[in-house]
Amino acid sequence: MDISKLRNIGIAAHIDSGKTTLSERILFYTGRIHQIIEVRSKSGGGPTMDSMDLEREKGITIQSAATYAQWKDYNINLIDTPGHIDFTVEVERALRVLDGAVLVLCGVAGVQSQSITVDRQMRRYSVPRVAFINKVDRAGANPDKVVNQLEEKLGHKPALVTMPIGIEDNFQGVVDLIKMKAIYYEGANGEEVVEKDIPSHLLDEAKKRRQKLIERIADYDDFVAEKFLDEAEISQEELIAAIRRVTIAMHITPVFVGTAKQNKGIQTLLDGVGLFLPAPGEVKNYALDLDDEENEVMLKNEDDMPTVLLAFKLEDGKYGQLTYMRVYQGKVRKGDNLVNIQNKKKLKVPRIVKMHANSMEDIDEAQAGDIIGMFGVDCSSGDTFTDGRVNYSMTSMHIPTPVIELAVSPKERTQQANFSKALNRFQKEDPTFQVYRDEETAETIIKGMGELHLEIYIERIKREYNTEVIVGRPKVAYRETITQRAAFDYTHKKQSGGSGQYARVAGFIEPLVEANDNHYQFFNNIVGGVIPKEYIPACDKGFQEQLKEGLLIKQPMVDVQVTINDGSTHTVDSSEMAFKLASRWAMREALAKAKPIILEPIMKLVVAAPDEFQGIVIGQINQRRGVISNTTSESKYVTVEAEVPLKEMFGYSSDIRGVTQGKGEFTMEFLKYQAVPKSVEEELIKEFKEKEKK
């Protein structure tokens, strides 16, 4: 297979922008399926890419589905990703291994809250993209407004490559501004692509828009800039090559228009995917060399190099665990030996498959750039595999912190084994789904990204493991922090028969100056070896262990900076253990003096509802201690953006439906941790103390 003709792409967007409908059309036009099934179809099951019953019932995508298709002479690996914020890790996973993406935007609603989130994720992994403005046949559609929002809200440099012929229910086809031809999609399902001359009443507009396209590219491409300044003619081939260069360099975003539901504009978008998005060899991918102080190494998309693969997604199917992998370097054949870099376990490749949603095709080998499935691989999501010749690890994905907890248990004791099996599997598959045991209450606690996230997993335990679940009240994942500097000077002495324990540590703690992902920083300012070098890591460990449990409500302490600057040691009685214990007690002593406070998760809430409900929606947010940051009104719909404490958001979905006659919808994502008001803090401490008494 010619690697330059391979495209690994994902489709990402706000919920309900029509991603799954678009994927379904792509599969139809590339000959992978022979019948189109709508997302909310009453017969025929559901879309190919929504293979889970739950996805079909709720009409949303929960898991990324992977498939591959051929369009003209291009091979396309396609991953359809969820738009719902609770399943954001699925988007992270997909983007981590993709070379390009299609950002789908609704022609009416434009750039929505989740579009902003997926765009941020694309930037995190430097994924070049094309945009597709969908639903231009709907009342209120305005592609130009959406293009402006792409620039204003997302900071893209959009370049319209196709413009609509007619709009709303008059939408007939598109004008290709590169070929300067009108394109119509005829036949029962729009499968016949017909090129005609541009209608005379649109010719002037098309010329102006083509000129605008060339100007935008000239801003970033010297070749086009030169021709533009000389007022020389730019050929179709030259224009395509230039758009490709500036798209891959992430300078511009080519924009296509169409309607997936009415089967118009999809084939032209597919052409754009082939023409403008990168092949695997045109994207820079890096691994960390564990034998060379984790320095970055650039991976080469070549078959004869040492093999490097990344397991980016796990799924439990009828044949056992299926692991989705991206081959970054080298090739892999059935029967090859691989090493899991994370746990050093060896693996003989049992079976390699190409995925098509929930069905598959066996293949004998895969090369650099391929996305494949493998069975019988014991690993976790994000593990790196090599052929043993190199000790590389792919940089891991960004995993958001879970913010909501639920106590769960099986209804029948006889179902305990199935219950545990389900929890173990879901943890392996989804890093944002976490399970722990509360030692004090002996309860099993599950943690996740939101109510829907946990609701889906509870529903899956019922259906896939035939286990009824008892669910406790949802709990918020609070944190604690300090508000001022406090010194410590602690001596740990223990003398009992035989050798004793001795360690003294002194220094101070203060609020973290520069935030980091660990929410903790340790500075060693010891001089003159008053604490020997070999005991310093034990001090660090002791401080961190104490921070796992705060003093107010025993929640983890965050954003603490520790400086150790003095201490003393005993030639016989000092040990790593003694310094670790001294540090734990020193930290405990200092925390009490550093004025600790409780932090709560604040969510970014975006509510959309018809104009007439604006007052009620805002009233509801205010009642929930929400702070409104923005309100916009467009085409008889109001969008309210607010910051609201998660504690106040339980049960919001039924409330918003109730007050808006079912017409209001919302998305919510974690934004930050913030100090709770004094009255709430007192209430939380009181509740905690009462629970402790029991």
Side-chain angles (χ1 to χ4, degrees), residues 433-495:
F433 177 76
Q434 296 171 10
V435 181
Y436 75 95
R437 188 174 166 77
D438 186 327
E439 294 306 332
E440 285 174 20
T441 60
E443 290 175 317
T444 300
I445 310 287
I446 57 174
K447 294 161 78 167
M449 301 305 297
E451 276 184 290
L452 179 71
H453 189 210
L454 297 183
E455 196 183 295
I456 294 282
Y457 278 117
I458 288 161
E459 194 59 39
R460 286 182 69 186
I461 294 170
K462 284 181 192 170
R463 293 184 190 205
E464 294 169 37
Y465 289 86
N466 211 1
T467 300
E468 286 294 324
V469 180
I470 300 167
V471 182
R473 279 177 56 108
K475 284 195 306 200
V476 174
Y478 290 103
R479 296 283 179 267
E480 297 181 36
T481 192
I482 55 172
T483 55
Q484 65 179 40
R485 177 176 161 145
F488 58 83
D489 187 342
Y490 187 85
T491 305
H492 172 66
K493 269 190 207 163
K494 204 171 178 192
Q495 202 62 48

Side-chain angles (χ1 to χ4, degrees), residues 355-370:
M355 292 311 301
H356 176 43
N358 63 345
S359 57
M360 58 200 70
E361 290 154 33
D362 279 274
I363 54 170
D364 290 325
E365 73 167 37
Q367 63 191 93
D370 271 338

Side-chain angles (χ1 to χ4, degrees), residues 145-156 158:
K145 180 194 81 176
V146 182
V147 169
N148 290 338
Q149 288 181 346
L150 258 175
E151 189 144 10
E152 287 159 18
K153 290 190 177 180
L154 298 182
H156 284 227

